[in-house]
Amino acid sequence: VRYRLDPDSAVIAELIHRYEAQGADDLQVEAERLAHLIAFGSASARDSAYRRLGPDSWPLSLTPTATVRWDMAHPRFLDRRAEVARRVAGEWEDDLEPEFSDWMVVRTALDRGRVVEAVKDLETQGLPGGLLYPTVYRAYGQGLPLPPDIAEDVLGEEVPDTVMGIEYRHVWDGGTRTPLLYVAAYRTAEGDQRAALDAAARLRSSAEYHTRQGDSRRAQLAQGAAQVLEGLHAWKYGGDRRRARQLLEAAQSGDLRLNWADNRLVRWWLAELHVESGDLESAVPYYLSLTTGEPSGLYDPPAMFRLAQAYEQLGETENAREAYAWVLLAWRDADESMRPWIQEIEGRLQELGADIGS
């Protein structure tokens, strides 16, 4: 897949060398070949590849659908990624994969700008909180046309003290989740000036409790989430952007070990904070970090849109054209409610001299 996108890249040459050096019976190589077939193969080739993705063909230690999904993350292949996720979610009975695939179905629909489809899937999939909260808040926080009642139903609820703001669950990355972070962020955006600080105090208490219990991972996560919320409050209601940047940057890059979903949220906030402060050059690396697919294998069309805007304002015309075109490709079959975004992108591309038809 990557070779087809950029055949002259030195990185691609190294990947091909490694690919050819591995034995034919290497399962990771087989997973990559299945990804290639699903991306570029005929209908019959894709059906054959899908059959090979069945749970009986693979050890639990290797999840080939993850390989396929990551290789399908480029907007050119989002429709195929949706196929993979739906097949796995509907057919597998493994303890690990269906939960992840249910979430990937929703996430892919959002990435394609198909919000109505994503909402329908949210209502039927029954995602656990560790996947549900960040998914809904991401759509809400990035301004996608999510029905208000969906955000309120998910993020407007009280997080019980029984979990102390922490959901600790091995799903597919061994990660710890912080639903309280997303609930407090939502309430802050909706005008509750105490939400972030109150939630941060609860998380600090949670960190102390887990430290006494000898659970450093949960303690670190709670500390990190508390610091993030303190930074959010300083930004939105404290009138102290400098302090907000310090807190958010320390949480994102320090020793507090936020899980990848929380880390991505903080990078989005940092990018937006820098734009609000007029520092576009500092915003670009944060937006860019959300559009490379690392470390989670996921891309982010709204972040790419904001990156394109930043490039354009910085006078980096070619980079802006490429970023706008990337988003337009991702949203090529988006909902009608996404038309304002798409029309703006088309207008900017025309202004920048791009051929939209290409």
Side-chain angles (χ1 to χ4, degrees), residues 7-19:
D8 297 325
S9 166
V11 173
I12 297 302
E14 173 61 22
L15 287 172
I16 291 174
H17 174 74
R18 288 165 52 192
Y19 184 99

Side-chain angles (χ1 to χ4, degrees), residues 7 58 63 67-68 77 100-102 134 138 143 146 199 207 227 231 249 252-253 265 267 275 288 298-299 319:
W58 303 84
T63 56
T67 297
V68 173
F77 308 112
F100 179 57
S101 293
D102 288 342
R138 170 180 172 266
L146 194 69
Q227 184 165 309
E249 287 172 352
Q252 188 270 318
S253 61
L265 172 64
R267 281 180 278 146
V275 169
L288 197 58
L298 298 174
Y299 294 76
N319 285 336

